[in-house]
Amino acid sequence: PMEVRRFLVWLRQQGKVRNALLRECLGEVLGTFIFMMFGCAALAQVKTSRGSKGQYLSANMAFSVGHFSHLCCLLPHSGAHMNPAVSLSCCVLGRLAWSKLLPYCLAQVIGAFLAAGLVFLMYHDAIMSYSGGVLTVYGPNETASIFATYPVEFLSLGSSFLDQVVGTGMVLLCFLPLDDQQNSPAPPDLVPPLAATVLLGVSMSMSYNCGGGINPARDFGPRLFTFMAGWGSDVFTCYNYWFWVPIAAPMLGAVIGSYIYLIFIQWHLPDPDTDTCANALNILPKENLSPCPPCSTNLT
Amino acid sequence: PMEVRRFLVWLRQQGKVRNALLRECLGEVLGTFIFMMFGCAALAQVKTSRGSKGQYLSANMAFSVGHFSHLCCLLPHSGAHMNPAVSLSCCVLGRLAWSKLLPYCLAQVIGAFLAAGLVFLMYHDAIMSYSGGVLTVYGPNETASIFATYPVEFLSLGSSFLDQVVGTGMVLLCFLPLDDQQNSPAPPDLVPPLAATVLLGVSMSMSYNCGGGINPARDFGPRLFTFMAGWGSDVFTCYNYWFWVPIAAPMLGAVIGSYIYLIFIQWHLPDPDTDTCANALNILPKENLSPCPPCSTNLT
Amino acid sequence: PMEVRRFLVWLRQQGKVRNALLRECLGEVLGTFIFMMFGCAALAQVKTSRGSKGQYLSANMAFSVGHFSHLCCLLPHSGAHMNPAVSLSCCVLGRLAWSKLLPYCLAQVIGAFLAAGLVFLMYHDAIMSYSGGVLTVYGPNETASIFATYPVEFLSLGSSFLDQVVGTGMVLLCFLPLDDQQNSPAPPDLVPPLAATVLLGVSMSMSYNCGGGINPARDFGPRLFTFMAGWGSDVFTCYNYWFWVPIAAPMLGAVIGSYIYLIFIQWHLPDPDTDTCANALNILPKENLSPCPPCSTNLT
Amino acid sequence: PMEVRRFLVWLRQQGKVRNALLRECLGEVLGTFIFMMFGCAALAQVKTSRGSKGQYLSANMAFSVGHFSHLCCLLPHSGAHMNPAVSLSCCVLGRLAWSKLLPYCLAQVIGAFLAAGLVFLMYHDAIMSYSGGVLTVYGPNETASIFATYPVEFLSLGSSFLDQVVGTGMVLLCFLPLDDQQNSPAPPDLVPPLAATVLLGVSMSMSYNCGGGINPARDFGPRLFTFMAGWGSDVFTCYNYWFWVPIAAPMLGAVIGSYIYLIFIQWHLPDPDTDTCANALNILPKENLSPCPPCSTNLT
């Protein structure tokens, strides 16, 4: 099969993505896809097995595992954001060009959408058996929460907004110091497990109110899929068009969380010199904003 | 927005904290805040969801995650004590100036108080729904134990005091060797997970009697908050003014735990020379007591 | 006992395996044996104790621990595949000689078979007590699922095939970047825990439909044992001869998962030069295909 | 308090243990004490809270945490055996002088005995409340299994013996490669978590039959304590004097597990030279058997 090999080499040369942004977006698609595959499939397993093959804690852990598993690989490509709120925060801090924000977000939504689709295929029989064949957003046999997040019934709009702001803020507050070269960055070996542990912590402690979305792509992509796959427009209209909350609130929360870190810790670090100081504030323009720093230096 | 940037740089220059102690205290406020955010929010999630969104183990894990997540960042600032008992132990061992003890403790209480407040805001609807709107310390719908710790009913005062002494002693006994340069200190990558694991171990094994406070700030800050937020004076007077136990006992336990390590292990290490020996005992005054050694060398 | 020592040295010299392939196969036998000992014994403990001494999550964790525990030791011997699907994927990618595929698979099946036998011996009394002495594949007291995997009843054949393809694909998709020297390989210290975490993730999220086999040796070896040990031909004939699915589907899934990684990420990595490019595609023949690269560079 | 300091220095000089064996034994006492404190206290918490403050899994994890937490500190002192079966195995392999075996075992039993005593003190009120004040070995309110291990009722003597042999064998089989310098030893950062993970795996998968003792000191020390503390001679006479099984079987299992590793893997490693070969077999006497190699090279 020497011809097959030559054909594959030729095919690869033709299909090779030479555009850096497109390459980064491919990375974000894949990373968010894997992240959501583990997470959504675990939610499906726990729900459709009625808890006999897992519990809420194992679903929390699966999201964390999904985050952990591709971090090493994707960090030097795109920074492994897997979350529009993290990408926005990087833009605000000057670590990502604003022009890349939209493509990144789109790639993340696509990855989450694809994962939702594959999980639905995998668990199609189980979901149909669990729900009696009726795909609904409300009631004891609802299955929409396998894919997107929904608030508990007693929750006011303001509380749910606050919940998402705080949850995302905590994530950024804990992610930022991991690679702050001015402060004491975490050892490279610790960056992936630390980031995964923070996600686990947030989903164990701040997911009762609204399901712990804290990620617009993680929420909107699967919601769009359920809208198209048979759950209908309820996924958007339910709880008085609540779906905008897990999109908007995390964006705000990420920026707030980032500034809390800057204000409490980073701005007060002893300056080596003024230049570095301006750099630490991350508000002066950088000439050569590199999208691909070495591994573990571009986490957030 | 070049003007905005300039304004921010100017603002930062004005607001910059140049006092080392204040900077360290800011770190302790933030560290204890994050630690308690994860922990208290997890307790709130487990309790108000009546176990459907978590279990006792996940609350144990959340405290551990909170401890883990900012350790790398705060170690070189303040030592990341997040616990007055740890700070006291550092003073006794000569690793922290006595004059810093009170500011550290105050900062830790403030951080825990703020976390309790934010958790109350986040879970306000859930707490009201769970408790039927009545914030109490006793009974099946009590919600005070989300924030501060309370003993089980059959417990005598002596037993609860012993429980807190032993729990805190175990923590210090396990923390001290982590950075004992004379002995075999843990590899820097292992210090944060080891410290977090020890906390997890203590909360899995020594928290039934009194809720596993082992930290005066973790207990007093949230208790003060609940006193002000509607639970009333019961939080202090209940169980015959029991609230002093998780403040006083950990202080004693930390010192005892530290000395057990010294007596069993450290005093018997082969001496390089007499000078180091006196240094190892940590009882001779140090001229230049530096508050900011490099990362992972100042854990306890 | 100087004579005993001399005799042992002489015995070792005689019994020493000097054939590299046989040595590698011994490693695969031992690795798969240990992997399955932890996994099957945990399934036995959870089932026969009716959940009082463990839960589904602890069985998931035990498989992951079994994978973790011998990875460091076996990586430089055979690559620690412990899974025919991983071995096949290595052949397709040019990392393992095709002539070694069959011996590797055989060794893995033998290891899994031996582990099933020892677990049956260990838990013989418990299995008899649980099942009332009747070893069956169906019904509430079935014990066959301790050893091999079986689908849930509502599952169609296509769904179960897809389930195994996706599960194995996810594993390979996450294993491949770990040692991709062209991309950013994981730090050596992270390879074993990352691989174990991926397995944990898959068994927490993709094991409801078919029990999460994703490994022909893990499934066929114990199934053969149960066939011989008293469960009878039902283990092969049940669910319309379903046993071929967890053998064939993982093989296909592994190849698909590998190519998804190549297509999305690896083919688009910037080339150092054409030579390396062809190498990265892994489709040109290698002269000196070494079976024993240094630790952690030959995981998948 | 300069006088106090001088007095302490003087006291330390007087009390300093200059005998290496005694120093190592102190380390074993402390290590086993900490190990058992976490483990027994977790068993007490889970049982006396009737599962509301923990589950079987959290007790498994607590034993593992206890093993993890002092490994770094004690490895260079005594090798951190914490288990007579491990010490025996080290003697058989020539890594520990036979003359040290008895003192090590004694130290380990003392450490476990002390831990049982302190756990009894801490949980005295809870144990009395749970058991109604009657300390028994049998029945639904038995509390003896908090301290020592007991078999399930349907278990034959042979099965329980096999269970302990296999469990301990698995531990040694997984511990030995961790520091095998001829093979590929684990990175130093991974030795403590790997060892703890192996213990977790064994207690999740092989503890239903007999409670997962696999450690004569862990079992005999607390059993002796319960005999003296009020449970009476039942702790020794129950199940037809079963107490000798978790003492004798782990000793045998450790040796078998060690040899399985030698026979399957180590004897077939390519020899650098004959000298090293004899050394690898560990059967030739070593002149300078050092008790204190550098950290992480003397685990088993």
Side-chain angles (χ1 to χ4, degrees), chain C residues 24-54:
Chain C
E24 289 163 47
C25 287
L26 274 178
E28 286 294 312
V29 168
L30 187 65
T32 318
F33 172 79
I34 290 173
F35 172 51
M36 290 303 293
M37 273 303 291
F38 282 116
C40 274
L43 286 174
Q45 172 158 332
V46 171
K47 184 173 266 290
T48 59
S49 74
R50 298 183 193 275
S52 71
K53 298 293 177 191

Short mmCIF file of all heavy atoms in Angstrom, two decimals, chain C residues 24-54:
data_model
loop_
_atom_site.label_atom_id
_atom_site.label_comp_id
_atom_site.label_asym_id
_atom_site.label_seq_id
_atom_site.Cartn_x
_atom_site.Cartn_y
_atom_site.Cartn_z
N GLU C 24 8.18 -8.41 26.39
CA GLU C 24 7.11 -7.43 26.29
C GLU C 24 5.76 -8.07 26.59
O GLU C 24 4.92 -7.49 27.27
CB GLU C 24 7.09 -6.82 24.90
CG GLU C 24 8.26 -5.89 24.61
CD GLU C 24 8.42 -5.63 23.12
OE1 GLU C 24 7.42 -5.34 22.47
OE2 GLU C 24 9.55 -5.75 22.61
N CYS C 25 5.58 -9.30 26.08
CA CYS C 25 4.30 -9.96 26.32
C CYS C 25 4.10 -10.29 27.79
O CYS C 25 2.99 -10.17 28.32
CB CYS C 25 4.20 -11.23 25.47
SG CYS C 25 3.94 -10.85 23.74
N LEU C 26 5.18 -10.67 28.47
CA LEU C 26 5.09 -10.89 29.91
C LEU C 26 4.61 -9.61 30.60
O LEU C 26 3.78 -9.63 31.51
CB LEU C 26 6.45 -11.30 30.49
CG LEU C 26 6.78 -12.79 30.44
CD1 LEU C 26 8.17 -13.03 31.01
CD2 LEU C 26 5.75 -13.59 31.24
N GLY C 27 5.15 -8.49 30.15
CA GLY C 27 4.72 -7.20 30.71
C GLY C 27 3.25 -6.95 30.46
O GLY C 27 2.52 -6.51 31.36
N GLU C 28 2.78 -7.24 29.25
CA GLU C 28 1.35 -7.03 28.95
C GLU C 28 0.46 -7.95 29.78
O GLU C 28 -0.61 -7.55 30.24
CB GLU C 28 1.08 -7.24 27.46
CG GLU C 28 1.58 -6.11 26.57
CD GLU C 28 0.84 -4.79 26.80
OE1 GLU C 28 -0.39 -4.80 26.84
OE2 GLU C 28 1.52 -3.76 26.96
N VAL C 29 0.92 -9.20 29.96
CA VAL C 29 0.15 -10.13 30.80
C VAL C 29 0.02 -9.55 32.21
O VAL C 29 -1.08 -9.44 32.76
CB VAL C 29 0.83 -11.52 30.86
CG1 VAL C 29 0.19 -12.37 31.96
CG2 VAL C 29 0.74 -12.23 29.52
N LEU C 30 1.15 -9.14 32.78
CA LEU C 30 1.13 -8.64 34.14
C LEU C 30 0.30 -7.35 34.24
O LEU C 30 -0.51 -7.19 35.16
CB LEU C 30 2.56 -8.38 34.64
CG LEU C 30 2.65 -8.00 36.10
CD1 LEU C 30 2.20 -9.14 36.98
CD2 LEU C 30 4.05 -7.58 36.47
N GLY C 31 0.50 -6.44 33.29
CA GLY C 31 -0.21 -5.16 33.34
C GLY C 31 -1.72 -5.35 33.25
O GLY C 31 -2.48 -4.78 34.05
N THR C 32 -2.16 -6.17 32.30
CA THR C 32 -3.60 -6.39 32.15
C THR C 32 -4.15 -7.15 33.35
O THR C 32 -5.28 -6.89 33.81
CB THR C 32 -3.89 -7.17 30.85
OG1 THR C 32 -3.07 -6.64 29.81
CG2 THR C 32 -5.34 -7.04 30.46
N PHE C 33 -3.34 -8.06 33.89
CA PHE C 33 -3.76 -8.79 35.08
C PHE C 33 -4.03 -7.83 36.25
O PHE C 33 -5.09 -7.88 36.89
CB PHE C 33 -2.66 -9.80 35.47
CG PHE C 33 -2.88 -10.48 36.79
CD1 PHE C 33 -3.76 -11.54 36.90
CD2 PHE C 33 -2.19 -10.06 37.92
CE1 PHE C 33 -3.96 -12.16 38.13
CE2 PHE C 33 -2.39 -10.68 39.13
CZ PHE C 33 -3.28 -11.73 39.25
N ILE C 34 -3.10 -6.93 36.50
CA ILE C 34 -3.26 -6.00 37.62
C ILE C 34 -4.44 -5.07 37.38
O ILE C 34 -5.28 -4.82 38.26
CB ILE C 34 -1.96 -5.20 37.83
CG1 ILE C 34 -0.89 -6.13 38.39
CG2 ILE C 34 -2.19 -4.02 38.75
CD1 ILE C 34 0.46 -5.48 38.49
N PHE C 35 -4.51 -4.53 36.16
CA PHE C 35 -5.61 -3.65 35.76
C PHE C 35 -6.96 -4.31 36.05
O PHE C 35 -7.85 -3.73 36.69
CB PHE C 35 -5.42 -3.36 34.26
CG PHE C 35 -6.53 -2.65 33.59
CD1 PHE C 35 -7.05 -1.48 34.11
CD2 PHE C 35 -7.04 -3.12 32.38
CE1 PHE C 35 -8.06 -0.79 33.45
CE2 PHE C 35 -8.06 -2.44 31.72
CZ PHE C 35 -8.57 -1.30 32.26
N MET C 36 -7.09 -5.57 35.62
CA MET C 36 -8.36 -6.25 35.78
C MET C 36 -8.60 -6.75 37.19
O MET C 36 -9.75 -6.87 37.62
CB MET C 36 -8.44 -7.43 34.80
CG MET C 36 -8.56 -7.00 33.36
SD MET C 36 -9.98 -5.95 33.09
CE MET C 36 -11.30 -7.12 33.40
N MET C 37 -7.53 -7.05 37.94
CA MET C 37 -7.70 -7.43 39.34
C MET C 37 -8.43 -6.33 40.10
O MET C 37 -9.41 -6.57 40.79
CB MET C 37 -6.34 -7.67 40.01
CG MET C 37 -5.78 -9.05 39.85
SD MET C 37 -6.86 -10.35 40.47
CE MET C 37 -6.79 -10.04 42.25
N PHE C 38 -7.91 -5.09 39.98
CA PHE C 38 -8.57 -3.98 40.69
C PHE C 38 -10.00 -3.80 40.19
O PHE C 38 -10.93 -3.67 40.97
CB PHE C 38 -7.77 -2.69 40.48
CG PHE C 38 -6.55 -2.59 41.34
CD1 PHE C 38 -5.29 -2.55 40.78
CD2 PHE C 38 -6.66 -2.53 42.71
CE1 PHE C 38 -4.14 -2.45 41.57
CE2 PHE C 38 -5.53 -2.43 43.52
CZ PHE C 38 -4.28 -2.39 42.94
N GLY C 39 -10.16 -3.81 38.85
CA GLY C 39 -11.48 -3.52 38.29
C GLY C 39 -12.51 -4.58 38.61
O GLY C 39 -13.59 -4.28 39.14
N CYS C 40 -12.20 -5.84 38.30
CA CYS C 40 -13.18 -6.91 38.52
C CYS C 40 -13.47 -7.10 40.00
O CYS C 40 -14.62 -7.32 40.40
CB CYS C 40 -12.68 -8.22 37.94
SG CYS C 40 -13.05 -8.41 36.20
N ALA C 41 -12.43 -7.02 40.82
CA ALA C 41 -12.66 -7.20 42.26
C ALA C 41 -13.55 -6.09 42.80
O ALA C 41 -14.41 -6.33 43.65
CB ALA C 41 -11.32 -7.23 43.00
N ALA C 42 -13.39 -4.87 42.28
CA ALA C 42 -14.25 -3.78 42.74
C ALA C 42 -15.69 -4.02 42.31
O ALA C 42 -16.63 -3.80 43.08
CB ALA C 42 -13.74 -2.44 42.22
N LEU C 43 -15.87 -4.48 41.07
CA LEU C 43 -17.24 -4.79 40.63
C LEU C 43 -17.85 -5.89 41.50
O LEU C 43 -19.02 -5.82 41.88
CB LEU C 43 -17.23 -5.23 39.16
CG LEU C 43 -17.03 -4.11 38.14
CD1 LEU C 43 -16.88 -4.68 36.74
CD2 LEU C 43 -18.19 -3.12 38.17
N ALA C 44 -17.02 -6.89 41.84
CA ALA C 44 -17.51 -7.97 42.71
C ALA C 44 -17.88 -7.42 44.08
O ALA C 44 -18.92 -7.77 44.65
CB ALA C 44 -16.46 -9.07 42.83
N GLN C 45 -17.02 -6.58 44.64
CA GLN C 45 -17.28 -6.02 45.97
C GLN C 45 -18.56 -5.19 45.99
O GLN C 45 -19.39 -5.33 46.88
CB GLN C 45 -16.08 -5.16 46.40
CG GLN C 45 -16.33 -4.38 47.67
CD GLN C 45 -15.04 -3.98 48.36
OE1 GLN C 45 -14.02 -4.66 48.25
NE2 GLN C 45 -15.07 -2.89 49.07
N VAL C 46 -18.73 -4.33 44.98
CA VAL C 46 -19.91 -3.47 44.95
C VAL C 46 -21.17 -4.31 44.78
O VAL C 46 -22.17 -4.09 45.47
CB VAL C 46 -19.78 -2.44 43.80
CG1 VAL C 46 -21.08 -1.70 43.60
CG2 VAL C 46 -18.65 -1.47 44.10
N LYS C 47 -21.12 -5.30 43.88
CA LYS C 47 -22.34 -6.07 43.60
C LYS C 47 -22.69 -7.01 44.76
O LYS C 47 -23.82 -7.00 45.25
CB LYS C 47 -22.19 -6.86 42.30
CG LYS C 47 -23.45 -7.60 41.90
CD LYS C 47 -23.35 -8.24 40.54
CE LYS C 47 -23.88 -7.38 39.43
NZ LYS C 47 -25.34 -7.22 39.44
N THR C 48 -21.71 -7.79 45.21
CA THR C 48 -22.06 -8.80 46.20
C THR C 48 -22.35 -8.19 47.58
O THR C 48 -23.04 -8.79 48.38
CB THR C 48 -20.96 -9.88 46.33
OG1 THR C 48 -19.74 -9.25 46.71
CG2 THR C 48 -20.75 -10.61 45.03
N SER C 49 -21.81 -7.00 47.83
CA SER C 49 -22.15 -6.33 49.10
C SER C 49 -23.44 -5.53 48.94
O SER C 49 -23.83 -4.81 49.85
CB SER C 49 -21.02 -5.42 49.55
OG SER C 49 -20.97 -4.25 48.76
N ARG C 50 -24.08 -5.63 47.80
CA ARG C 50 -25.31 -4.87 47.47
C ARG C 50 -25.12 -3.38 47.78
O ARG C 50 -26.01 -2.74 48.34
CB ARG C 50 -26.50 -5.44 48.23
CG ARG C 50 -26.78 -6.89 47.86
CD ARG C 50 -28.00 -7.47 48.56
NE ARG C 50 -28.04 -8.92 48.40
CZ ARG C 50 -28.57 -9.54 47.34
NH1 ARG C 50 -29.10 -8.85 46.37
NH2 ARG C 50 -28.55 -10.87 47.27
N GLY C 51 -23.95 -2.87 47.40
CA GLY C 51 -23.72 -1.44 47.53
C GLY C 51 -23.30 -0.97 48.90
O GLY C 51 -23.02 0.21 49.09
N SER C 52 -23.23 -1.88 49.89
CA SER C 52 -22.88 -1.41 51.23
C SER C 52 -21.38 -1.17 51.37
O SER C 52 -20.95 -0.44 52.26
CB SER C 52 -23.35 -2.42 52.28
OG SER C 52 -22.56 -3.58 52.24
N LYS C 53 -20.57 -1.79 50.51
CA LYS C 53 -19.11 -1.62 50.61
C LYS C 53 -18.56 -0.99 49.33
O LYS C 53 -17.50 -1.36 48.84
CB LYS C 53 -18.44 -2.99 50.83
CG LYS C 53 -18.83 -3.68 52.11
CD LYS C 53 -18.34 -2.94 53.33
CE LYS C 53 -18.82 -3.63 54.60
NZ LYS C 53 -18.59 -2.83 55.80
N GLY C 54 -19.28 -0.05 48.78
CA GLY C 54 -18.83 0.61 47.57
C GLY C 54 -20.01 0.98 46.70
O GLY C 54 -21.15 0.60 47.00
#
